[in-house]
Amino acid sequence: MKIVEDWLERFVSTALAGDLAAHMAMISPEVLVFGVPGFDTLDFDDWYRQCAHEFPQRLLNDIAYSAPDIRTASDDRVLFKSLETTRTTDGTISRQGVEMLLGRDDDTWKLQQMRLLSDDEARHDGLF
């Protein structure tokens, strides 16, 4: 659980600081994101472009991950679900259940896969 908590803390702090290089260093170049409406998958380049657009404008006011629930773990992989809550500078609040897979890469934990959960799945998992 400490691995997940530490990783999420750094993930949030780099995003809120607008530190694109540090934030992207926490994400595997092979990352895939599933469940984004209108897209089959998103990859590292898609994530980078989005952050490169948002970070300089400071569009993100706050982000939090609550109730991380580890589904499976090994020495080099951790799969968990959490409720992601974001608040933008215009006051918009968004809550989304997410499933994240972290993998160890040269003693550094990186996001390898992320799946946005449907509201029904998130409710079923007790995230909402």
Side-chain angles (χ1 to χ4, degrees):
M1 186 68 152
K2 180 105 170 96
I3 291 166
V4 170
E5 290 171 356
D6 290 349
W7 187 87
L8 285 171
E9 184 179 314
R10 287 190 318 275
F11 191 69
V12 167
S13 67
T14 58
L16 293 178
D19 188 340
L20 184 60
H23 189 72
M24 296 309 297
M26 300 184 69
I27 301 168
S28 169
E30 288 83 35
V31 71
L32 289 176
V33 181
F34 300 93
V36 178
F39 297 91
D40 289 332
T41 59
L42 298 176
D43 63 15
F44 184 89
D45 292 337
D46 297 318
W47 196 314
Y48 181 90
R49 278 190 297 276
Q50 185 68 27
C51 291
H53 168 75
E54 291 179 1
F55 284 10
Q57 297 182 57
R58 299 287 198 213
L59 299 179
L60 191 59
N61 192 39
D62 192 24
I63 186 168
Y65 292 90
S66 60
D69 179 23
I70 295 177
R71 298 303 186 159
T72 186
S74 67
D75 290 341
D76 60 352
R77 297 180 94 164
V78 178
L79 178 69
F80 67 96
K81 292 184 179 184
S82 184
L83 178 63
E84 177 187 80
T85 304
T86 57
R87 187 172 60 233
T88 60
T89 53
D90 70 2
T92 302
I93 296 174
S94 174
R95 289 182 178 82
Q96 177 72 53
V98 295
E99 178 182 72
M100 297 177 153
L101 176 64
L102 301 182
R104 190 185 298 218
D105 181 21
D106 296 329
D107 291 328
T108 302
W109 290 94
K110 293 188 178 190
L111 182 65
Q112 294 182 333
Q113 182 175 304
M114 180 172 167
R115 182 170 66 94
L116 304 183
L117 306 177
S118 69
D119 287 348
D120 287 343
E121 186 176 5
R123 278 189 194 90
H124 175 57
D125 287 339
L127 297 175
F128 282 115

